[in-house]
Amino acid sequence: MCLPLPLIAQSAKGEQGDLPPETPIELRVGKAAYKGDSIPHVIFPTLPKYPPKAAMTDRQRTRYNRTVYNVKKLLPLAKLAKYTIIETYDFLETLPDKKARAEHIKLVEKGIKRQYAPVVKKLTRSQGKILIKLIDRECNQTGYNIAKAFVGAFKANLYQGIAILFGQSLNKTYDPEGEDKELERIVRQVESGVL
């Protein structure tokens, strides 16, 4: 069984920005030769630089602060979803047959529902929209495509139908240069520790 998740599987193998949610940003220190002597060579992480925010009304400031709060709350969940998908995909590749893969997917699905259903049920609609977009950002695939790859088209359509009942869509994509430009700015600042 070959799942259409090559972008996720490749990103697990050494991109610099793929740190687990609980890993702090670290400095890399090495040695460099300088005039016949060795000196410390420190590589700092890249920090995003944005122009200061223009004057905002109270309503805009409240909306911005709410978005920052939501991103801080949901970004670890999106990163955790990414690592769960990578781990599950890698493990599925080691299983011998389709039956064993299906059983493992059922176990993973039950575990995820048991562990994260209470958290997801408490999310507001706006938090749900942000989470769907952040999962697309982290995984390079929509939630619908991920569900379809692991649990099949029938269950993916069922989940999409439930999402539509709540005014959401698992097919929402993340556009960092367009409609999600402000969200991308906030995410980068949260990831670098600026916010």
Side-chain angles (χ1 to χ4, degrees):
M1 178 172 150
C2 186
L3 299 174
L5 298 171
L7 296 175
I8 296 171
Q10 288 174 359
S11 68
K13 305 211 177 6
E15 280 187 19
Q16 200 172 3
D18 294 329
L19 299 174
E22 54 284 331
T23 303
I25 297 174
E26 298 176 3
L27 299 176
R28 290 188 292 160
V29 180
K31 285 196 253 181
Y34 179 72
K35 295 185 180 180
D37 198 9
S38 62
I39 60 171
H41 178 93
V42 180
I43 300 173
F44 291 96
T46 314
L47 295 176
K49 183 177 179 185
Y50 295 102
K53 296 287 290 174
M56 291 191 267
T57 64
D58 289 340
R59 176 178 259 178
Q60 290 171 332
R61 173 62 61 188
T62 302
R63 185 171 182 234
Y64 176 78
N65 289 340
R66 189 178 314 123
T67 305
V68 170
Y69 170 79
N70 289 339
V71 168
K72 284 182 177 181
K73 180 178 180 177
L74 299 171
L75 189 59
L77 283 175
K79 289 187 181 290
L80 189 62
K82 172 185 174 182
Y83 289 108
T84 302
I85 290 167
I86 292 169
E87 183 180 326
T88 303
Y89 179 74
D90 288 344
F91 188 75
L92 287 175
E93 290 295 311
T94 64
L95 294 176
D97 60 352
K98 193 173 183 177
K99 184 178 178 183
R101 291 183 191 117
E103 289 176 12
H104 181 70
I105 287 175
K106 284 181 185 177
L107 289 174
V108 170
E109 188 178 7
K110 281 182 184 178
I112 289 172
K113 283 181 181 178
R114 185 175 3 95
Q115 188 172 3
Y116 296 107
V119 175
V120 173
K121 284 181 181 178
K122 292 180 182 178
L123 296 180
T124 64
R125 287 185 183 190
S126 61
Q127 289 173 339
K129 286 180 183 179
I130 291 173
L131 182 60
I132 289 169
K133 290 197 176 228
L134 289 178
I135 287 175
D136 182 46
R137 177 187 187 269
E138 292 297 319
C139 300
N140 297 322
Q141 293 189 30
T142 64
Y144 178 80
N145 289 338
I146 294 168
K148 187 176 176 183
F150 282 107
V151 295
F154 178 76
K155 274 194 173 178
N157 287 327
L158 178 68
Y159 294 151
Q160 174 68 1
I162 292 170
I164 288 172
L165 285 175
F166 289 98
Q168 309 291 347
S169 174
L170 296 179
N171 283 320
K172 291 216 173 173
T173 58
Y174 186 77
D175 182 17
E177 299 298 323
E179 113 182 23
D180 300 318
K181 193 172 187 176
E182 183 70 23
L183 187 61
E184 177 68 14
R185 174 183 173 142
I186 293 170
V187 168
R188 285 181 180 252
Q189 289 178 327
V190 167
E191 284 180 334
S192 66
V194 174
L195 284 177

